[in-house]
């Protein structure tokens, strides 16, 4: 297991480190139960059901942008949460490294995968190596693809772009990430965190306009040789998030 603290902190900004600490506390303690439920089949409120449906569509979109057959491909699920995307990628043959800051979510992800496989609900052609720690840990090695679903939406745009750049430097083919698009609707209420009661709220989401994000990605020194690809906005009740593909070449 990797520990967030063992990551080489040299290249990380203070704002990234501070936000990462808040996210670890939030996802491992404050909202752990709520996330466990939201990502299960258990009944949830109507508002949360819209979020669940939006997240299902987002996961399907990101997976759709990867090759249908991932046999032999190494994939990083960066900020894997309870592991649904990692499991699906492994079903398609990928060797997945699924990492998250929250030890409890990673433990739950491992349990869910084991019970899916044991229950015969699914088989896995590939593998999933669950880890606790920072997605930027260089010890994770190199990847063919990186997916970060809603795990970078709480970081300031400059940190977001730096993280994507660091991950791109270790990736051969494509990155698929999501960001919180700056829209009037999002400004008013569509933040993922606000679906939870006040005391359970997530660290702020950091919206960024699509145009600005594309510009930052194109201009980032780490991103030479990479270009923004497909983009898709998913809106479902209280869920609003935008997928962005970044391709090599
Ligand atoms: C909104 S949840 C999404 C989880 C999962 N990707 C999904 O869609 O179900 C964001 C996750 O990103 C994780 N995360 C945030 N920053 C991270 C970092 N620097 N390294 C690893 N995980 C991180 C959080 O701990 C949290 O579990």
């Amino acid at each position: 297991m990797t520990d967030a603290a063992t990551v080489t902190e040299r290249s990380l900004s203070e704002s990234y480190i501070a936000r990462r600490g808040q996210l670890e506390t939030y996802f491992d303690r404050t909202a752990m139960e709520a996330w466990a439920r939201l990502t299960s089949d258990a009944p949830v409120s109507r508002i949360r059901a819209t979020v669940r449906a939006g997240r299902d569509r987002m996961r399907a979109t990101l997976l759709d942008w990867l090759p249908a057959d991932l046999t032999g491909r190494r994939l990083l699920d960066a900020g894997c949460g309870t592991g649904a995307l990692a499991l699906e990628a492994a079903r398609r043959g990928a060797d997945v490294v699924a990492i998250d800051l929250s030890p409890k979510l990673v433990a739950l992800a491992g349990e869910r995968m084991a019970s899916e496989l044991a229950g015969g609900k699914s088989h896995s052609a590939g593998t999933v190596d669950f880890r606790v720690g920072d997605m930027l840990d260089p010890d994770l090695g190199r990847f063919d693809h990186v997916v970060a679903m809603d795990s970078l939406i709480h970081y300031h745009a400059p940190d977001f772009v730096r993280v994507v750049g660091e991950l791109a430097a270790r990736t051969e083919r494509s990155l698929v990430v999501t960001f919180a698009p700056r829209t009037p609707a999002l400004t008013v209420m569509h933040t993922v965190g606000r679906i939870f009661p006040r005391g359970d709220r997530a660290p702020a989401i950091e919206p960024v306009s699509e145009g600005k994000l594309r510009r930052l990605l194109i201009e980032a020194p780490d991103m030479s040789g990479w270009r923004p690809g497909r983009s898709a906005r998913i809106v479902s009740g209280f869920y609003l998030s935008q997928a962005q593909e970044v391709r090599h070449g």
Side-chain angles (χ1 to χ4, degrees):
M1 284 215 195
T2 359
D3 180 336
T6 65
V7 175
T8 311
E9 307 285 82
R10 183 170 40 86
S11 59
L12 307 180
S13 71
E14 279 179 27
S15 54
Y16 175 84
I17 293 168
R19 184 45 62 95
R20 185 185 64 187
Q22 292 167 355
L23 289 169
E24 182 178 348
T25 304
Y26 175 73
F27 283 103
D28 201 57
R29 293 186 223 156
T30 324
M32 155 60 195
E33 296 296 334
W35 269 96
R37 194 170 183 89
L38 183 69
T39 57
S40 73
D41 295 333
V44 285
S45 70
R46 272 210 282 186
I47 286 179
R48 289 187 192 195
T50 67
V51 175
R52 184 185 275 168
R55 286 174 39 74
D56 288 348
R57 276 170 54 202
M58 177 58 84
R59 191 166 54 254
T61 300
L62 300 179
L63 285 162
D64 219 38
W65 290 354
L66 298 170
D69 182 2
L70 288 166
T71 307
R73 299 276 172 99
R74 203 160 183 264
L75 182 144
L76 177 67
D77 184 356
C80 63
T82 52
L85 192 145
L87 179 56
E88 190 51 41
R91 275 189 192 126
R92 284 162 50 173
D95 291 320
V96 182
V97 175
I99 188 160
D100 200 282
L101 297 172
S102 162
K104 288 186 190 149
L105 290 183
V106 170
L108 182 57
E111 284 164 22
R112 283 187 178 170
M113 179 162 174
S115 87
E116 286 256 336
L117 297 180
K121 278 192 227 154
S122 112
H123 75 284
S124 174
T127 57
V128 184
D129 176 8
F130 285 109
R131 309 271 189 106
V132 176
D134 189 313
M135 63 175 82
L136 291 181
D137 185 342
D139 290 345
L140 299 177
R142 298 191 62 77
F143 296 93
D144 294 294
H145 304 279
V146 172
V147 182
M149 174 165 153
D150 294 344
S151 43
L152 297 175
I153 56 176
H154 300 279
Y155 293 97
H156 295 294
D159 286 331
F160 183 110
V161 172
R162 228 172 282 133
V163 170
V164 173
E166 287 218 17
L167 293 173
R170 301 164 198 177
T171 305
E172 307 297 336
R173 296 167 193 266
S174 71
L175 297 112
V176 283
V177 303
T178 68
F179 65 95
R182 181 178 289 286
T183 67
L186 185 69
T187 309
V188 175
M189 67 164 188
H190 284 181
T191 61
V192 174
R194 286 182 198 173
I195 63 167
F196 298 115
R198 189 173 288 276
D200 285 354
R201 280 192 189 161
I205 291 197
E206 302 287 348
V208 57
S209 78
E210 183 178 356
K212 179 176 174 185
L213 186 74
R214 286 176 80 89
R215 201 174 59 251
L216 289 173
L217 286 171
I218 289 165
E219 289 169 359
D222 292 347
M223 298 296 292
S224 77
W226 291 83
R227 59 183 167 79
R230 287 168 279 193
S231 195
R233 187 171 293 180
I234 307 283
V235 184
S236 166
F238 276 68
Y239 181 81
L240 168 58
S241 187
Q242 186 153 342
Q244 178 66 55
E245 180 188 40
V246 188
R247 298 191 66 82
H248 203 222

